[in-house]
Amino acid sequence: MAGEAPQYVAARVQRALAEDERTHELGIRVDVRGDQIFLRGQVGDEYRRETIAGVAGEAAPELELHNEISVVEVRDPGEEENL
Amino acid sequence: MKVRIAAVGDIHMGEDLRGRFRPRFAGIEERADVLLLAGDLTRHGTEEEGRVVADEFRDLPIPVVAVLGNHDYHSDAEEIISVLLRNAGMIVLDDQATVIECHGETLGIVGGKGFGGGFAGKCASEFGEPETKAFVRHTKDIAERWRVALKETPADHRVVLAHYSPVKDTLEGEPKEIYPFLGSYLLAEAVDAEGADLIVHGHAHLGCEKGLTPGGIRVRNVALPVLGRAYGVYSLKEDLNV
């Protein structure tokens, strides 16, 4: 039997990130290429970034994980827009 | 004077983010007349996170009007969260309207979570299994409540505050396959029927800020990752008839 298709692995990780009570993250993009897994998106702080990587690693322990998630910047409000 | 609306959504607060936003709201009264929070104020939807949100926005010098988002419903604590926010002085809308006075003009705000279903021609219908019908009916019911709330809220200016998107424009950047879970055209149709000056929403973190309804009402996606700033400020045209 062939190994698990990468699409199913990515779907499993994405579902884990959404449903695991440690994360509940719906906005993370998960891509599997060969034996590597890539996480992309934005979260509120470094702690959440690391927690997501931990949950993803548990869901796909056989893959090399690349955590490309960034921490969202909260800049000053800037100019108003006239509608 | 122009009415200035500050808005942000998807701040996803938890104990780890306590105090993160408050400094960014210093001086907001110089920039805006009202602050709208477009849902997903928490991450897991717990009472504890609701307390963090309440503390973060307690006693701001301008009115704060909020709706909840899907994350705020996850732990079945949405009613407790709403009470905590109201006790902190915020107005929480659940398919209702509120009217605020700004510079002698009235600003009507109709707000609610909204829901999904998709966009015209590529959307779910009230057909088939009861689960599908219930999903679509939930959005239809919300849209109808918004239409009625707008009709019954005459004001110099009217703004709709939502979590889910009423249009596709502001979803640009999200995978098209998940559009039906990000919003519904039924929401825009209801607002277009009664008229408004602006619709703000969140939910779509990968979307873009600016869009329009088919009827020409401006739509702004104010999800924090989209804005990249503490809040957006939108000023409405003066009502010259006042």
Side-chain angles (χ1 to χ4, degrees), chain A residues 21-27 42 44-45 47-48 71-83, chain B residues 2 12 14 16-17 20 24 31 43-44 71 74 198 218 220 225 228-231 233-235 237:
Chain A
E21 61 180 18
R22 291 168 292 176
T23 49
H24 290 151
E25 285 288 349
L26 279 69
Q42 289 189 308
D45 61 10
Y47 167 75
R48 293 184 188 183
V71 174
V72 66
E73 231 185 300
V74 184
R75 298 192 309 272
D76 282 332
E79 289 297 300
E80 70 182 47
E81 180 191 357
N82 289 298
L83 298 181
Chain B
K2 293 181 295 187
H12 292 289
D16 57 329
L17 292 184
R20 167 110 185 261
R24 297 288 186 192
R31 299 191 179 98
R43 187 157 63 135
H44 307 296
H71 279 250
H74 181 70
L198 170 70
R218 249 76 69 91
R220 295 293 177 266
R229 53 194 198 275
Y231 51 88
V233 182
Y234 309 101
S235 70
K237 273 192 194 138

Side-chain angles (χ1 to χ4, degrees), chain B residues 170-187:
Chain B
T170 47
L171 303 182
E172 191 69 45
E174 294 278 1
K176 285 199 164 43
E177 294 87 343
I178 68 166
Y179 278 16
F181 302 102
L182 298 178
S184 166
Y185 81 97
L186 295 169
L187 306 172

Side-chain angles (χ1 to χ4, degrees), chain A:
Chain A
M1 196 180 96
E4 189 179 14
Q7 290 90 336
Y8 291 136
V9 179
R12 189 175 70 234
V13 171
Q14 201 138 32
R15 186 175 290 275
L17 296 180
E19 296 177 358
D20 192 292
E21 61 180 18
R22 291 168 292 176
T23 49
H24 290 151
E25 285 288 349
L26 279 69
I28 302 300
R29 181 168 170 176
V30 179
D31 288 301
V32 174
R33 297 285 185 274
D35 60 355
Q36 304 183 89
I37 183 165
F38 299 83
L39 306 179
R40 281 181 277 170
Q42 289 189 308
V43 295
D45 61 10
E46 186 61 30
Y47 167 75
R48 293 184 188 183
R49 184 177 174 277
E50 292 305 320
T51 308
I52 289 167
V55 171
E58 286 173 22
E62 67 283 8
L63 300 180
E64 183 187 343
L65 189 144
H66 298 274
N67 188 356
E68 299 179 356
I69 296 168
S70 53
V71 174
V72 66
E73 231 185 300
V74 184
R75 298 192 309 272
D76 282 332
E79 289 297 300
E80 70 182 47
E81 180 191 357
N82 289 298
L83 298 181

